């Protein structure tokens, strides 16, 4: 079974703070994704990548940066955190393009911006 | 515009019965993929089942099956002989060739009563 590990599991920061969420997958998957989950909205795609050094913009990218440093590691950066970014964040990976391939999800990071 | 809608916010059924969860989508493409994912109480999100739009046969995996009605842009998830552990939030999603992302619905919370 594919393994996707997120850290930290919980994070509290203040408005204007700097936050980095980390994700590592150990299954040699090409694609990695960052989603946020909010009540009433389901899962919304922030950014994704199909390989080291690549970055694609998702559906709700404003206020977020991301970087894929290696095939295994994908980071989500909030440089000036706002309360609207309080959410549950999921990282996911897939062997190929997720449009026809199942996603494997991490356990999520709960972020609170005060 | 591409959109996925799950109108049932929550459903509650008795154990060992059959339940259907609805999902409708908006698309202008003739070829796409439809997915259902399950999010357990612990927050873990796992893939359940997939339907390719060009296939007329409804997909079945274990006690999960799909009711795919392409003319109605509808993909219902049917769970037969429900068990307590089926209690979860269920998301449907749509994906397209070479677009590298999935669009999720808002989710339906299913509660199974003993």
């Amino acid at each position: 079974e594919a393994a996707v590990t997120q850290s930290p599991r919980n994070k509290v920061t203040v408005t204007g703070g700097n936050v980095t969420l980390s994700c590592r997958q150990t299954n040699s998957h090409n694609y990695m994704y960052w989603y946020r989950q909010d009540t009433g909205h389901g899962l919304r795609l922030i950014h994704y990548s199909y390989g080291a050094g690549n970055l694609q913009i998702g559906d709700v990218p404003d206020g977020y940066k991301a970087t894929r440093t290696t095939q295994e590691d994908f980071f989500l950066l909030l440089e000036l955190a706002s309360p609207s970014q309080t959410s549950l964040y999921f990282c996911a990976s897939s062997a190929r393009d997720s449009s026809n391939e199942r996603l494997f999800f991490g356990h999520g990071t709960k972020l609170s911006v005060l | 515009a591409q959109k996925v809608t799950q109108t049932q916010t929550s459903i509650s059924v008795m154990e060992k019965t059959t339940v259907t969860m609805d999902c409708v989508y908006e698309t202008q493409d003739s070829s796409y993929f439809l997915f259902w994912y399950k999010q357990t109480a612990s927050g873990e999100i796992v893939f359940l089942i997939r339907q390719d739009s060009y296939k007329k046969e409804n997909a079945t995996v274990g006690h999960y099956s799909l009711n795919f009605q392409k003319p109605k842009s509808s993909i219902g998830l049917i769970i037969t002989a429900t068990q307590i552990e089926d209690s979860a939030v269920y998301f449907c999603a749509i994906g397209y060739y070479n677009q590298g992302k999935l669009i999720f619905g808002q989710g339906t919370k299913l509660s199974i009563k003993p």
Side-chain angles (χ1 to χ4, degrees):
Chain A
E1 184 76 359
V4 180
T5 304
Q6 293 182 234
S7 61
R9 294 295 296 270
N10 290 280
K11 178 71 178 179
V12 180
T13 190
V14 295
T15 300
N18 203 324
V19 177
T20 298
L21 306 184
S22 302
C23 178
R24 165 165 282 204
Q25 56 93 6
T26 56
N27 291 280
S28 301
H29 286 172
N30 292 327
Y31 283 78
M32 296 185 74
Y33 311 82
W34 278 107
Y35 285 89
R36 61 177 290 174
Q37 182 180 14
D38 305 286
T39 302
H41 292 280
L43 292 158
R44 293 181 291 174
L45 182 64
I46 305 170
H47 291 298
Y48 63 106
S49 165
Y50 54 73
N54 174 266
L55 182 65
Q56 302 294 315
I57 295 173
D59 298 319
V60 289
D62 293 346
Y64 301 96
K65 292 184 179 179
T67 180
R68 180 89 176 267
T69 54
T70 64
Q71 186 178 33
E72 293 79 20
D73 298 301
F74 196 28
F75 300 94
L76 186 67
L77 296 79
L78 292 73
E79 294 185 332
L80 287 173
S82 73
S84 65
Q85 293 176 310
T86 292
S87 186
L88 183 57
Y89 291 86
F90 284 96
C91 177
S93 72
S94 66
R96 295 184 297 273
D97 182 346
S98 76
S99 63
N100 61 353
E101 188 73 24
R102 59 177 289 193
L103 299 182
F104 292 87
F105 284 86
H107 284 85
T109 294
K110 185 176 180 182
L111 175 66
S112 298
V113 182
L114 304 178
Chain B
Q2 301 160 351
K3 186 178 179 182
V4 177
T5 303
Q6 296 177 252
T7 57
Q8 301 158 305
T9 304
S10 64
I11 300 174
S12 181
V13 301
M14 298 299 293
E15 189 180 12
K16 300 179 184 178
T17 61
T18 295
V19 63
T20 298
M21 283 173 275
D22 301 327
C23 176
V24 294
Y25 52 92
E26 296 175 18
T27 183
Q28 295 176 342
D29 292 67
S30 59
S31 190
Y32 45 88
F33 304 92
L34 297 161
F35 299 82
W36 280 90
Y37 283 82
K38 172 185 178 180
Q39 184 175 32
T40 63
S42 67
E44 183 183 16
I45 301 175
V46 295
F47 164 79
L48 288 180
I49 192 168
R50 161 184 155 179
Q51 179 77 39
D52 297 349
S53 64
Y54 58 85
K55 291 186 177 179
K56 294 186 177 179
E57 312 81 49
N58 290 318
T60 298
V61 175
H63 73 146
Y64 302 107
S65 61
L66 298 177
N67 179 17
F68 178 44
Q69 300 183 59
K70 193 170 184 178
K72 295 184 178 180
S73 296
S74 172
I75 183 74
L77 174 68
I78 303 166
I79 306 176
T80 57
T82 52
Q83 304 162 11
I84 298 296
E85 51 267 34
D86 291 325
S87 296
V89 178
Y90 291 81
F91 293 97
C92 66
I94 190 169
Y96 303 86
Y97 278 113
N98 297 323
Q99 285 198 15
K101 65 180 184 180
L102 293 182
I103 299 169
F104 284 84
Q106 303 90 326
T108 295
K109 182 176 181 179
L110 175 65
S111 299
I112 307 298
K113 296 183 292 186

